[in-house]
Amino acid sequence: MGAQPESGGRTRVDLPRMPAVGALHRRALLGALPGLGGGRRGPELPAVELTVGGVTVDRAQLADYDRVCGFRLTDRLPATFPHVMGFPLALRLMTAPDFPLPLIGLVHVGNRITVHRPITADQALDVTTYAENLRPHDRGRQVDVVLVGSVDGEEVWRGVSTYLGRERTPGGRERGERPEAPAATARWRVEPRVGTEYARVSGDRNPIHTSRLGARLFGFRRPIAHGMWSKAHCLAAVEARLPDAYTVEVAFKLPVPLPSTVNFALLPDGGFALHDSHGRPHLTGLVR
């Protein structure tokens, strides 16, 4: 591991390999327990960026990911797959003791991905992650966790995940009138296996997605689908229409319970949406 000075006030730390996700999840769970590392955190974001060079694609993992999310099986990476490749590095950043928000309880509220050009399975990525834009929110604080994928020094992919750390704050959030749900283009049945299968191919084994008990511990009556599965499945539905370079941004609204039936709507302006059978929104997105 080596540390180097970096522009923007952050220090770059080069790691020899991707961290082990299981150990990081255990660290996060222990840190949530009183007296076992869950003490007061720093008020600022860590001035560091973590990098792993030469991350190769596991073709078996890619094939499984394509199947679980509904993409065609090709050598071109889906826009959401580099997020999976870089997830262990982002998890390492967010489970560090000086990260201001505890991982347990963080809510993924938004994700923006920019594909600068197609990436194929034979290309190794240099992956970098850092956090920025810690800011107040009426339900706590939000932070952006950035992942960047580069090939031979050229940035080819960038993902920005926005997380909400819920905290007690004065006042409350006023609920506005919900707009009418758009007409459904397709209806999908989302079975419980989606949670366990996506956890296996992505490494995101948060128990709210895989266990009824784990979901109840965090206030859900039953497990919920991963937000990034929902985004990926929506992109898979429009895969044939996507250009070589684009940005796709989504806002995660209500979680998708497992099992459930959801309505997917493709909008004429490049937007898309996912709603439940009562018209309540799970996700809204836009490709541009």
Side-chain angles (χ1 to χ4, degrees):
M1 180 187 300
Q4 303 178 29
E6 193 67 24
S7 61
R10 293 186 298 270
T11 298
R12 193 182 80 193
V13 178
D14 295 304
L15 303 180
R17 65 187 66 85
M18 279 292 172
V21 171
L24 295 174
H25 277 304
R26 287 191 292 273
R27 176 195 292 180
L29 288 170
L30 287 174
L33 299 175
L36 292 177
R40 184 177 299 276
R41 293 172 173 266
E44 305 292 338
L45 291 171
V48 65
E49 60 181 46
L50 307 179
T51 299
V52 176
V55 181
T56 57
V57 174
D58 182 326
R59 288 178 180 268
Q61 180 191 21
L62 174 61
D64 278 350
Y65 180 87
D66 287 343
R67 178 184 58 79
V68 170
C69 297
F71 291 105
R72 294 173 297 181
L73 183 58
T74 71
D75 272 350
R76 180 181 290 196
L77 304 189
T80 46
F81 191 71
H83 174 91
V84 169
M85 295 174 67
F87 177 72
L89 197 61
L91 196 62
R92 166 72 177 269
L93 179 74
M94 291 190 289
T95 54
D98 56 347
F99 197 79
L101 303 174
L103 181 71
I104 300 300
L106 277 187
V107 180
H108 196 181
V109 295
N111 177 267
R112 182 177 71 252
I113 288 173
T114 298
V115 179
H116 296 294
R117 67 162 175 80
I119 310 168
T120 54
D122 60 348
Q123 294 179 309
L125 291 178
D126 298 329
V127 181
T128 297
T129 190
Y130 57 90
E132 63 181 9
N133 200 15
L134 181 65
R135 57 201 185 272
H137 185 274
D138 58 7
R139 287 181 291 167
R141 288 184 292 171
Q142 284 188 339
V143 64
D144 294 332
V145 176
V146 181
L147 276 169
V148 178
S150 302
V151 176
D152 297 329
E154 174 198 5
E155 181 179 316
V156 295
W157 183 94
R158 176 176 290 257
V160 181
S161 289
T162 300
Y163 295 96
L164 169 66
R166 289 179 290 190
E167 300 167 346
R168 291 185 177 181
T169 55
R173 186 178 184 181
E174 295 184 4
R175 294 181 178 271
E177 184 177 348
R178 188 174 69 234
E180 184 177 352
T185 306
R187 182 168 295 163
W188 300 330
R189 181 66 178 170
V190 187
E191 300 292 351
R193 67 175 182 273
V194 164
T196 54
E197 289 185 354
Y198 188 82
R200 177 177 54 82
V201 300
S202 69
D204 184 353
R205 299 182 181 275
N206 188 322
I208 66 173
H209 305 300
T210 59
S211 161
R212 184 176 290 269
L213 175 59
R216 285 180 173 174
L217 287 174
F218 291 96
F220 300 102
R221 288 189 298 173
R222 56 185 191 267
I224 60 174
H226 296 73
M228 289 303 293
W229 175 86
S230 298
K231 178 174 183 175
H233 201 51
C234 289
L235 280 181
V238 299
E239 187 176 12
R241 305 183 182 203
L242 296 174
D244 286 344
Y246 60 95
T247 294
V248 54
E249 185 164 10
V250 300
F252 300 116
K253 305 292 187 179
L254 297 175
V256 176
L258 298 174
S260 62
T261 298
V262 296
N263 295 323
F264 171 74
L266 183 60
L267 307 178
D269 61 353
F272 55 90
L274 207 60
H275 288 78
D276 69 9
S277 57
H278 301 288
R280 294 173 297 200
H282 292 302
L283 173 155
T284 58
L286 179 67
V287 177
R288 48 184 170 83

